[in-house]
Amino acid sequence: MRFTGKRAVVTGGASGIGRATALRLAEEGAVVWIGDIDVAGGEEIAATSNGRIHFQRTDVMQAGDIEALMLAADAAGGLDVVFNNAGAAGSRDPIDVISPEDWDRTQALLLRSVALGIRYAAPLMTARGGGAIVNTASIAALQTGAAPTAYSVAKAGVLHLTTMAAADLAKHNIRVNAICPGFITTNIFTTALGIEGDKRAMANAAIGAIAAKAQPLQRAGRPEDIAAAVAYLASDDAVFVTGTHITVDGGMTIGPRHSWDAEAPSMFAALEAFAA
Ligand SMILES: NC(=O)c1ccc[n+]([C@@H]2O[C@H](COP(=O)([O-])OP(=O)(O)OC[C@H]3O[C@@H](n4cnc5c(N)ncnc54)[C@H](O)[C@@H]3O)[C@@H](O)[C@H]2O)c1
């Protein structure tokens, strides 16, 4: 019950990582405000939460929506925790093809939204003596090969924004950290491809099977795995932790595949024929 008496905002809380985190924070005593463009999903979670989770339609592309969400949570007694998490795949075009508009849209969704989440939360937290902010980055911020270019660059920006904001806000006792999820089975992939209805469940099952084999720990990453780390960073257990990130990826970023997968092609295996 690390969040008893606290109020939290979670963007993108109608699905996936945000949903699991909203539920985790509420389970541990917080009253949570979900901001999302998915009205049906957000209202469904709020309706089944015994008043612990509120939903406010929020488009994180709109500065006014973000500010209104922070103010709503603050008005209930003061804003303690913010999880800037809403997102989608963005443009999948490579750099030699992407349009200026698609580049801007992807950066606005994944990076500007986080900057503005911090911008509007910080004065409210300052007024009450401090708070904790967690931002969703990605392993795509750390290495190539995990996601498209515009997405990966935005997420790398989230990581640097996290350290800069931690520096700016430490004097107000506001901690700012990031989370780098690996391959987590959520709707983000089916949404990116426009797969809906009955086909979505089938596609998600297929994604789960791929995700189970994608990293050293041989099971699919779950939204709850991320929620646990976000709850730690947002809690007083992390009271001396700021300006850093936690990678939760089942070991995906450990190193080249042959270092952890005996089945993967290895240079030494290929050379054995010559050595014999
Ligand atoms: N799933 C993964 O493997 C993975 C890995 C690394 C990082 N992430 C990041 O985690 C975050 C959450 O993604 P997820 O995997 O839970 O996906 P998801 O699709 O399950 O959830 C994303 C949520 O964000 C909401 N959203 C999208 N655009 C919005 C907007 N403009 N305003 C408000 N809400 C909006 C969606 O409606 C949805 O509820 C994203 O920032 C994503 O980039 C995901």
Side-chain angles (χ1 to χ4, degrees), residues 11-20 34-39 41-42 56-62 65-66 83-89 108-110 113-114 135-140 146-147 151 155 179-192 200 221 223 226 248:
T11 68
S15 174
I17 290 168
R19 185 180 198 277
I34 285 178
D36 205 296
I37 48 172
D38 176 359
V39 174
Q56 182 158 315
R57 191 198 180 277
T58 306
D59 181 352
V60 298
M61 303 286 274
Q62 307 297 328
D65 282 13
I66 299 175
F83 183 33
N84 292 307
N85 164 76
L109 174 64
L110 294 169
S113 64
V114 178
N135 305 318
T136 301
S138 167
I139 59 164
Y151 179 101
K155 292 298 191 180
I179 188 86
C180 290
F183 188 175
I184 310 299
T185 47
T186 70
N187 286 333
I188 197 168
F189 309 104
T190 46
T191 300
R200 171 168 267 186
I226 309 304
V248 181

Side-chain angles (χ1 to χ4, degrees), residues 1-3 8-34 41-54 83 85 223-224 226-228 230-231:
M1 300 302 287
R2 291 176 292 185
F3 300 100
V9 159
V10 175
T11 68
S15 174
I17 290 168
R19 185 180 198 277
T21 303
L23 292 171
R24 175 71 186 250
L25 297 178
E27 258 168 45
E28 291 206 44
V31 180
V32 181
W33 274 257
I34 285 178
E43 285 182 345
E44 183 246 310
I45 298 165
T48 53
S49 74
N50 281 333
R52 308 231 37 109
I53 299 178
H54 303 273
F83 183 33
N85 164 76
E224 293 75 15
I226 309 304
V230 175

Side-chain angles (χ1 to χ4, degrees), residues 199-215:
K199 283 193 180 160
R200 171 168 267 186
M202 285 157 58
N204 276 338
I207 290 165
I210 297 165
K213 303 272 178 211
Q215 62 280 303

